[in-house]
Amino acid sequence: TIWAESYAVAEVKFFRHVARQAPRDTSHLKCLQLCAGSLVGTGFSTYTLKTIVMHLLNTIPSSSWRRREFLMRLQDIMWYLHGCLEEKRLHHFFFGNENMPEDIVLPPDTQTAKPINLFQYLVHDPTAHTKALREFSVLQDQLIRLVFY
């Protein structure tokens, strides 16, 4: 039997780590939930958005995820996704990530591995890339409607 490798436990540990570091009024999970809810009708997976949010949580201080910065963080998520689409590159959060919190123990090869591009398919398929950019516009419109209406 061959088992697909999963990083679900590491993801849970990462979000627990963030929760321990974050102020009480943090909004990172609300950002993730709202973005995930706006994915309907697009080709983006919740895993894509979760990966983006994890990258941002690892780079933006937890004090900047307070409710009063909610709209700024949503904007950061969308800018990050758009940049990844333009570059046709979204790195897996765990592979090759040298900025992993110490309490998340991964196999040594994982951290020293070359980053895995989750958007590799966009590099070789111009039609898929065009479609992804179109779906980004749909996602952005849906998110705006959810937030402001």
Side-chain angles (χ1 to χ4, degrees):
T1 304
I2 297 175
W3 297 95
E5 194 158 345
S6 170
Y7 287 88
V9 172
E11 289 172 8
V12 168
K13 287 182 179 182
F14 176 76
F15 280 107
R16 282 186 188 149
H17 169 83
V18 169
R20 282 192 305 273
Q21 307 295 322
R24 290 190 84 131
D25 65 341
T26 188
S27 63
H28 65 279
L29 292 178
K30 290 289 182 197
C31 284
L32 184 56
Q33 290 169 340
L34 185 63
C35 288
S38 61
L39 291 175
V40 176
T42 72
F44 299 110
S45 69
T46 54
Y47 187 76
T48 295
L49 278 177
K50 183 169 47 172
T51 300
I52 289 168
V53 170
M54 288 190 300
H55 279 295
L56 290 172
L57 284 167
N58 214 23
T59 57
I60 297 174
S62 59
S63 60
S64 296
W65 287 87
R66 291 197 154 125
R67 287 186 187 132
R68 67 178 176 257
E69 287 112 358
F70 181 74
L71 292 177
M72 290 172 53
R73 296 299 76 85
L74 284 177
Q75 189 175 36
D76 289 339
I77 292 167
M78 295 307 289
W79 280 344
Y80 196 98
L81 174 57
H82 188 259
C84 289
L85 290 170
E86 288 291 324
E87 293 177 16
K88 303 175 190 174
R89 180 178 44 240
L90 172 60
H91 289 150
H92 189 283
F93 182 70
F94 294 106
F95 279 89
N97 188 343
E98 296 174 359
N99 297 322
M100 196 61 54
E102 289 180 16
D103 55 340
I104 300 172
V105 180
L106 297 170
D109 291 345
T110 303
Q111 286 180 296
T112 59
K114 186 175 174 185
I116 295 173
N117 182 6
L118 300 177
F119 283 173
Q120 184 64 38
Y121 70 100
L122 298 177
V123 173
H124 303 293
D125 188 346
T127 304
H129 184 239
T130 301
K131 182 180 178 196
L133 289 170
R134 230 182 0 257
E135 289 175 338
F136 173 80
S137 294
V138 170
L139 174 63
Q140 201 167 26
D141 290 344
Q142 288 178 180
L143 192 57
I144 289 169
R145 272 189 242 114
L146 282 172
V147 171
F148 293 109
Y149 298 112

